[in-house]
Amino acid sequence: MTIAGSYDCVTKTPMGPQKGVLTIVPGEGGAFSGDITGDLGSMEIKGGTITGNTLTWQMKMTMPMPIELDCTATIEGDALTGKVKAGMFGTMDLAGTRKM
């Protein structure tokens, strides 16, 4: 199974559902890079690691306010499910589907 590709995602935030496209580019040694682009702009993936079909990474949000995001997701087939921890805003659900 490959995790590479782009996923149409929705994060359930306190501001309502936020849509974005998460792009995953596998690297060497269990690492990956990429970004997520949506209505609030683009955020680069930092420190991406792959363990089996589980991804862990960080992002730095700048709008509407600066905040560090800690993210995890599991990929099963073409479905992505996970969590985004956003400091004082708590943990939010993340779901996505691979773009064909």
Side-chain angles (χ1 to χ4, degrees):
M1 175 189 79
T2 181
I3 58 134
S6 295
Y7 297 79
D8 285 319
C9 293
V10 176
T11 304
K12 294 181 181 176
T13 77
M15 298 174 16
Q18 296 296 312
K19 294 180 182 179
V21 176
L22 175 66
T23 301
I24 298 169
V25 181
E28 294 184 22
F32 75 96
S33 61
D35 61 19
I36 189 164
T37 303
D39 293 337
L40 297 177
S42 181
M43 292 181 284
E44 184 178 346
I45 290 172
K46 302 283 186 183
T49 60
I50 304 167
T51 305
N53 62 339
T54 300
L55 311 175
T56 305
W57 73 96
Q58 294 79 41
M59 296 184 293
K60 186 171 184 173
M61 186 172 75
T62 58
M63 287 186 55
M65 66 186 323
I67 193 165
E68 298 285 332
L69 305 175
D70 292 313
C71 310
T72 61
T74 301
I75 297 175
E76 297 283 345
D78 292 328
L80 178 147
T81 56
K83 302 282 184 184
V84 177
K85 185 177 178 189
M88 64 185 171
F89 295 105
T91 302
M92 303 170 283
D93 291 331
L94 169 68
T97 305
R98 188 186 312 262
K99 293 173 68 96
M100 297 295 160

